Amino acid sequence: MSNKNNITLDSYREIAPKGTIDLAYCLAEHLKGKSILHVNSTKLGGGVAEMLLRLIPMFNDLGLKSRWEVIAGTPLFYQTTKSFHNALQGQAQAISKEMYDEYIKVNQQNIEKIPLEADLAVIHDPQPAGFILKKPKLAKWLWRCHIDISRPQRKVWNFLKSYVSKYDGAIFSLPSFAQKLDIPQFLIYPSIDPLSDKNRELSSEEINSVLNKYGIPQDKPIILQVSRFDRFKDPIGVIEAYKLAKKYNDCYLILAGGSATDDPEGLQVLNEVRQAADTDKDIFLLDLPPDANIEINALQRIATIILQKSTKEGFGLTVAEAMWKGKPVIGGAVGGIVVQIIYGQTGFTVNSVEGCANRIRFLLNNTEVVTELGKRAKEYARRNFLITRHLCDYLALIDYLLSK
Ligand code: UDP
């Protein structure tokens, strides 16, 4: 029962809240040998891939037979699903008939190629939702929605709903994302892995090597946002808030991100961010490769304050990662961020550039508050956002569905 780093489920006993690992073994006891299939749209980049990478070996460690398949698309398919993504998160999008047809075609092609046999399948997000048309009769299938779908563009949601309503259940990250559906709906918070390279403790040599690599000085407080270059993450708003705060409090800003392989808009947004940063030498724009886990970990550890100024967010993994590193987070008051950040206790939620700048300044002027909020953030993340809790939630749900 180990992965390439010799991490076993028991390695988490010292980290997870007491009793969590025993609960996982207990829940898995009569699920041994059951086959579980996960399908999503990218192996690398973004929160879904991040979680699956760690959950799949854990299920296998517990004696379930778990496998992960990835849908293969065309540029038009990814453009379509990106538009779906934006429309489902409430943005106006023009989606042509050709695009809907491409979605249907790519889903059909993939379900002919990908083996779908499993006792239970979890289909993640809209991209492969159409797989349901080939669901084996006796299997149970869940649609796992990772995005903020509380105010979807109706036409797109109605299209997707025609697939989603055929599932045995849907899982959302927050109660407010639940929809009018005739199938059961479940709530599961996402999670982070405290032993992954993204989140494990780092030595000072490891941290310094990252700082040297990107030429980041530490003679001033550092404000950090880690995010794909996506408009919903509001990188331009981050730069504006930093500029306002910097009039009074000297600091650096690091915007670290990359783009997921299923996100064609990333490069365009990065260029806009470059323009907004202009010639400010205290802004570091880091275009990271998808496997920059230690780099992100190190940046989160050296940051004074971490921002996640999203204007739409499902559940911000970056928020949980920052909290786990004992940092106060200033986040946009949207989606999962309002559940993740306990206002004034573990960080602050904000509704504007000015509000964000104000909170940056407050924290930079009160270093003891930074430390206190950071400590509480870490304990809150331990109880609520670790992968061991996520694993138990899945096991309980799988058990419930397979024993029906
Ligand atoms: N991430 C990354 N490289 C990047 C940007 C983000 O590895 O350039 C990671 C980040 O640390 C987090 C995940 O990708 O683990 C992003 O998840 P989140 O829920 O915050 O946002 P999403 O990208 O899924 O919208």
Side-chain angles (χ1 to χ4, degrees):
M1 199 188 72
S2 66
N3 65 18
K4 67 178 164 46
N5 300 318
N6 277 332
I7 295 169
T8 70
L9 203 49
D10 288 314
S11 314
Y12 294 83
R13 281 190 190 277
E14 299 297 305
I15 301 169
K18 208 162 176 254
T20 313
I21 306 306
D22 293 327
L23 179 64
Y25 278 111
C26 198
L27 287 167
E29 194 48 42
H30 56 292
L31 291 175
K32 282 197 173 133
K34 296 288 183 200
S35 49
I36 315 292
L37 165 69
H38 289 266
V39 182
N40 83 322
S41 67
T42 177
K43 273 270 178 206
L44 281 176
V48 181
E50 189 81 16
M51 277 183 289
L52 286 179
L53 204 60
R54 305 301 294 191
L55 274 173
I56 302 278
M58 284 183 148
F59 281 122
N60 289 335
D61 281 353
L62 285 165
L64 287 83
K65 289 184 274 175
S66 185
R67 117 189 123 73
W68 176 8
E69 301 282 356
V70 174
I71 186 169
T74 57
L76 180 59
F77 174 76
Y78 290 125
Q79 197 191 326
T80 304
T81 55
K82 181 69 190 179
S83 296
F84 280 12
H85 180 97
N86 290 344
L88 291 168
Q89 298 209 111
Q91 223 183 45
Q93 295 284 319
I95 301 170
S96 63
K97 177 167 184 314
E98 190 198 4
M99 290 164 89
Y100 283 110
D101 288 347
E102 185 72 3
Y103 176 88
I104 294 166
K105 191 177 91 192
V106 167
N107 266 269
Q108 269 167 355
Q109 285 168 346
N110 274 270
I111 50 182
E112 294 311 322
K113 281 193 212 130
I114 295 179
L116 299 176
E117 295 74 37
D119 294 308
L120 184 139
V122 186
I123 308 297
H124 296 261
D125 281 334
Q127 295 91 334
F131 275 43
I132 189 69
L133 299 182
K134 223 183 157 199
K135 169 180 130 93
K137 236 191 180 142
L138 295 177
K140 300 283 184 192
W141 277 36
L142 288 162
W143 184 63
R144 199 331 173 192
C145 177
H146 294 271
I147 55 181
D148 178 348
I149 198 172
S150 48
R151 284 201 175 81
Q153 196 180 304
R154 277 295 138 196
K155 192 172 171 214
V156 175
W157 171 238
N158 286 340
F159 172 78
L160 196 64
K161 195 172 150 188
S162 65
Y163 296 112
V164 171
S165 54
K166 295 187 170 63
Y167 282 78
D168 297 294
I171 309 172
F172 294 96
S173 295
L174 285 178
S176 59
F177 299 170
Q179 292 293 318
K180 275 198 187 120
L181 286 167
D182 292 332
I183 58 170
Q185 299 182 57
F186 305 95
L187 166 69
I188 298 185
Y189 287 158
S191 63
I192 59 163
D193 180 357
L195 295 181
S196 66
D197 280 344
K198 177 77 62 70
N199 297 304
R200 68 173 169 84
E201 295 287 334
L202 294 180
S203 65
S204 46
E205 289 77 30
E206 284 174 306
I207 292 179
N208 286 334
S209 106
V210 173
L211 297 184
N212 290 339
K213 180 169 165 187
Y214 295 112
I216 293 168
Q218 276 190 288
D219 55 331
K220 292 191 259 195
I222 294 176
I223 318 293
L224 168 73
Q225 176 158 301
V226 175
S227 280
R228 290 179 295 105
F229 288 103
D230 178 310
R231 290 204 179 85
F232 286 129
K233 309 288 182 184
D234 199 17
I236 305 283
V238 167
I239 292 179
E240 287 170 355
Y242 150 85
K243 283 185 175 166
L244 280 180
K246 197 176 163 81
K247 285 187 191 163
Y248 310 96
N249 294 76
D250 201 9
C251 56
Y252 293 114
L253 172 67
I254 304 177
L255 276 166
S259 44
T261 50
D262 60 350
D263 179 7
E265 253 174 28
L267 197 61
Q268 196 184 334
V269 176
L270 177 59
N271 285 333
E272 288 166 19
V273 173
R274 280 205 178 102
Q275 272 180 7
D278 200 14
T279 52
D280 187 332
K281 292 207 165 33
D282 286 350
I283 299 181
F284 293 82
L285 277 187
L286 310 182
D287 185 12
L288 301 175
D291 59 349
N293 297 322
I294 294 182
E295 285 82 348
I296 289 174
N297 189 344
L299 295 170
Q300 288 167 332
R301 284 176 192 281
I302 53 107
T304 316
I305 300 166
I306 298 188
L307 306 187
Q308 190 54 59
K309 212 201 145 308
S310 308
T311 55
K312 281 278 175 189
E313 191 66 69
F315 186 98
L317 282 180
T318 51
V319 174
E321 288 160 9
M323 291 172 77
W324 181 243
K325 277 123 196 164
K327 304 294 167 165
V329 182
I330 302 174
V334 291
I337 296 179
V338 292
V339 173
Q340 292 177 272
I341 295 176
I342 309 298
Y343 190 90
Q345 299 293 316
T346 65
F348 294 103
T349 47
V350 294
N351 292 286
S352 64
V353 165
E354 292 75 15
C356 184
N358 189 19
R359 288 307 176 187
I360 293 174
R361 292 200 56 219
F362 171 73
L363 290 175
L364 292 182
N365 289 333
N366 294 281
T367 48
E368 70 294 349
V369 179
V370 170
T371 313
E372 190 51 37
L373 296 191
K375 265 193 214 153
R376 289 190 206 146
K378 176 153 191 176
E379 289 317 306
Y380 195 75
R382 188 193 306 281
R383 283 200 303 279
N384 296 287
F385 306 139
L386 296 189
I387 197 157
T388 38
R389 188 274 310 149
H390 198 170
L391 180 70
C392 290
D393 285 351
Y394 260 124
L395 289 168
L397 179 52
I398 292 169
D399 188 25
Y400 167 73
L401 281 170
L402 292 186
S403 57
K404 272 197 357 169

